[in-house]
DNA sequence: ACAGCCTATCGAATCGTTTCGACCCGCGAG
DNA sequence: CTCGCGGGTCGAAACGATTCGATAGGCTGT
């Protein structure tokens, strides 16, 4: 057992020894938490370079500190879907912003942990952002609260005790509907977001609404129904232009009893509906009025601007990030209620008589 | 010092004490790494419930294990941009797939750590995926290699020693160009992706190419130039439809010397060019042929299908994920070379005489 | 010249697990 | 009847850092 080599990575203790200082001093050199004489610092740095030490092990640091510098964002369903939805991406954007002064990383997770990875239960994160509270998300919420970590729920009905970022979906949807009604429309059809994780493209029935788990869809629907209680509705299987086209075709198929206006629960769906209408030779807005929801920048609309309710998507994320930041600072977090702004566009017009 | 309450979270040691077993035994109950008598297990679980213990602290566990179960994905530039790019989102999708059996989380990071968060240097992750090697990414690569963590580079020129996922960008671009040339086009203009992190919308000069840091753009350009050495080119500021429109207008502005074909380095840019052409009353493909790159599903093209080179975006991500998984298992990782498939669409036609 | 104060450094405790080797005990085989 | 084996449990040593209180000089003010 002569020169038995130990190819394990050097630790800060090795560096300290090599530099002839205490490990605590070496630690301080790297963290910069206290003053260190320039000469000492350089000695430590030199030793680190010689040993190929690349800085403190984040795992050990996070154990000792009690912080990992990571915030988990729990999305519902396939990650790809999240990336595809402009509202979600805008929100993520705002979130990075709101989290900026924490300089925290963002850990993407799905809430469908199901049987596989115990993911959410033991991810080394400092806080959670839960998005769109479905049934599954409620389960996730339990777990997170059990772990005693800060959590913010975006657009989901967690209890009163959990800080949330909410949107006036119901009122905003009602506002869109009133605009359509005021234009004289009476035959109105609706396109909703998925109602539950089944995500089926199906007519909306009272039973389905009663069992729905996706609050956003339910709330917007209820707002619209305040104005058009009996409007037929079809739930889309996702917020996609192509889905809008499919549902649009369904709603417009029967030339006899075609609605004069279609209100969609997302801009992407609305664009799809417009496209379906154009396929059928209908003019928007002369023959058919179409309204959306979200207020995203969507292209492929030629000269039209969509009538919609503009939701503060980026702001949603930023607000969530800020609340997280506050909680991590030990301050109490509050629920923030954000509001949408109605925007009259050129895709809605007076109803044809 | 009577009943001094300690409101700190219970540890596994507390649980063990409460259950009257050794902490090692309690640990095993939670990790399931060894056999535990049913009676004992239940005693431990009961104690945990009583104390409100929510399972082992992931930070401590990851220190001890040397694994955190997180893989970092380093993107270039603003996260929002990443979410907006269909190729990137598809790749992320594949990545989650390839990483699936690790049940690892995905930590999103930007490589522009700059002065702020030391992000990449001390994120508690097990491995890195670097995407699109710009100059900054090369710096990131240094750091990561210094930490001795597994890393895969997607479409970037890391050294030979780093496992990479590469694409035959040059050859694929040449193939598109040959198709266009074979249709008789001689006046061809190009729209490139950003050449560097400045992302300026500017004519491409030899100097700019020489200083370019974004390899994808350079490679595709060189492929195209194999066929059209002198074609004028303008670099877009991003892969966006709107950018394509802007650049398209620039290229088509002068009715006198309009190209008969435009080759764009991404499908989104190509769609933008088509839109710009339509604005000017040009018919595609009769008056102007347009080709793209990527092969994404892009809508807003009415009946046309884009002539393009279909890149295996999802596969790129999956391959990266698989390599990471292998390295984490201790197996050697290999560089994988993926290829694009040319797809002739209806946006290119014989050159008008 | 002395009390007092900073500053730079050091030691040692701690963060909460996991894991490895030892140990005990009961049981089947010889 | 004894030996060996294996399941179940225990102790204690890592894992690699951070941080707090203590210490030793060097300096200022009087």
């Amino acid at each position: 057992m002569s020169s038995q080599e130990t190819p394990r990575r050097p630790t800060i203790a090795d560096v300290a020894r090599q530099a002839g200082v205490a490990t605590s001093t070496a630690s301080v050199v790297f963290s910069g938490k206290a003053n260190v004489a320039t000469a000492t610092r350089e000695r430590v740095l030199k030793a680190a370079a010689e040993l190929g030490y690349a800085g403190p092990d984040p795992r050990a640091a996070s154990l000792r500190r009690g912080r990992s510098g990571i915030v988990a964002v729990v999305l519902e369903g396939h990650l790809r879907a999240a990336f595809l939805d402009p509202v979600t991406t805008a929100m993520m954007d705002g979130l990075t912003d709101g989290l900026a002064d924490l300089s925290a990383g963002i850990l993407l997770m799905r809430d469908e942990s199901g049987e596989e990875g115990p993911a959410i239960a033991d991810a080394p994160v400092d806080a959670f952002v839960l998005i769109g509270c479905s049934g599954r998300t409620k389960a996730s919420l339990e777990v997170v609260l059990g772990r005693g970590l800060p959590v913010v729920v975006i657009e989901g009905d967690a209890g009163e005790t959990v800080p949330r970022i909410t949107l006036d979906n119901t009122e905003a949807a009602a506002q869109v509907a009133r605009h359509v009604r005021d234009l004289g429309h009476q035959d109105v059809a609706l396109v909703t977001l998925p109602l539950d994780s089944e995500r089926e493209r199906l007519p909306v029935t009272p039973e389905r609404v009663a069992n729905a788990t996706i609050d956003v869809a339910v709330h917007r629907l209820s707002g619209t129904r305040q104005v058009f209680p009996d409007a037929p509705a079809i739930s889309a299987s996702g917020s996609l232009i192509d889905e809008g086209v499919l549902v649009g075709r369904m709603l417009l198929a029967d030339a006899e009893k075609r609605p004069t206006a279609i209100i969609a629960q997302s801009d992407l769906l609305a664009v799809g509906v417009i496209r379906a209408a154009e396929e059928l030779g209908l003019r928007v807005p002369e023959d058919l009025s179409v309204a959306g929801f979200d207020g995203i920048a969507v292209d492929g609309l030629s000269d039209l601007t969509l009538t919609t309710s503009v939701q503060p998507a980026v702001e949603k994320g930023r607000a969530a990030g800020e609340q997280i930041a506050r909680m991590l600072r030990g301050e109490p977090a509050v629920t923030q209620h954000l509001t949408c702004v109605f925007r009259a566009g050129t895709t809605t017009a007076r109803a044809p008589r």
Side-chain angles (χ1 to χ4, degrees), chain A:
Chain A
M1 54 181 71
S2 47
S3 68
Q4 191 186 8
E5 48 182 352
T6 322
R8 100 186 179 293
R9 297 198 68 70
T11 74
I12 202 172
D14 300 328
V15 173
R17 197 173 319 119
Q18 169 99 351
V21 301
T23 69
S24 47
T25 305
S27 172
V28 164
V29 167
F30 287 102
S31 72
K33 294 261 188 214
N35 290 339
V36 177
T38 323
T40 314
R41 177 193 343 281
E42 283 176 357
R43 207 139 38 88
V44 171
L45 259 22
K46 175 159 158 289
E50 286 169 9
L51 264 44
Y53 178 75
D57 180 332
R59 284 179 279 258
S62 72
L63 168 59
R64 179 64 235 232
R65 290 201 161 114
R67 286 279 167 87
S68 67
I70 298 184
V71 175
V73 176
V74 182
L75 301 156
E76 159 184 54
H78 218 331
L79 286 189
R80 178 180 220 166
F83 282 113
L84 284 182
D85 180 15
V87 175
T88 304
T89 60
M91 195 190 56
M92 295 291 291
D93 197 49
L95 189 63
T96 63
D97 228 58
L99 249 22
D101 20 322
L102 287 183
S103 78
I106 292 191
L107 181 64
L108 254 33
M109 314 189 69
R110 315 170 48 175
D111 67 352
E112 62 111 32
S113 56
E115 58 227 80
E116 51 154 279
I120 179 170
D122 41 46
V125 300
D126 297 336
F128 277 88
V129 177
L130 300 189
I131 294 169
C133 229
S134 67
R136 282 209 221 101
T137 309
K138 271 171 205 147
S140 308
L141 183 58
E142 297 281 307
V143 176
V144 173
L145 290 176
R147 283 182 59 180
L149 293 175
V151 54
V152 171
V153 172
I154 297 184
E155 280 194 276
D157 71 338
E160 283 300 317
T161 63
V162 180
R164 306 180 302 290
I165 309 297
T166 63
L167 216 52
D168 61 340
N169 280 306
T170 306
E171 170 53 21
Q175 204 171 349
V176 172
R178 285 196 293 269
H179 165 82
V180 171
R181 181 197 57 197
D182 292 348
L183 286 170
H185 293 275
Q186 294 181 331
D187 287 338
V188 176
L190 316 179
V191 184
T192 78
L193 293 169
L195 294 175
D196 47 44
S197 16
E198 301 300 317
R199 304 182 152 261
E200 284 179 292
R201 189 182 317 120
L202 272 184
V204 174
T205 61
E207 298 80 53
R208 291 192 64 215
V209 174
N211 295 324
T213 57
I214 299 187
D215 298 325
V216 179
V218 175
H219 292 163
R220 292 188 189 166
L221 180 59
S222 95
T224 312
R225 284 265 163 89
Q226 285 175 16
V227 179
F228 297 110
D230 304 317
I234 294 182
S235 67
S237 74
S239 182
L240 301 167
I241 292 185
D242 290 341
E243 266 298 303
V245 172
L246 293 175
V247 178
R249 283 183 195 144
M250 292 168 69
L251 290 173
L252 299 171
D254 188 349
E256 294 302 307
K257 42 177 192 171
R258 228 170 233 164
T260 63
I262 294 183
I263 300 179
Q265 283 191 352
S266 88
D267 285 354
L268 292 180
L269 288 171
V271 171
V273 168
I274 292 174
R275 200 159 294 165
E278 286 171 349
E279 280 179 10
L280 294 169
L282 297 174
R283 290 164 306 160
V284 173
E286 292 82 357
D287 303 325
L288 179 74
S289 284
V290 178
F293 202 110
D294 288 342
I296 60 169
V298 56
D299 49 33
L301 267 189
S302 43
D303 317 321
L304 297 171
T305 64
L306 199 57
T307 293
T308 193
S309 185
V310 183
Q311 74 154 292
V314 175
E315 194 47 45
K316 247 177 10 183
R318 192 198 325 277
E322 280 164 6
Q323 294 305 322
I324 292 283
R326 296 187 53 170
M327 295 172 87
L328 255 21
R329 248 183 272 122
E331 304 164 23
V334 300
T335 287
Q336 273 192 19
H337 201 71
L338 301 177
T339 57
C340 305
V341 175
F342 177 73
R343 183 183 76 195
T346 56
T347 56
T348 45
R350 289 218 68 81
R353 301 172 316 95

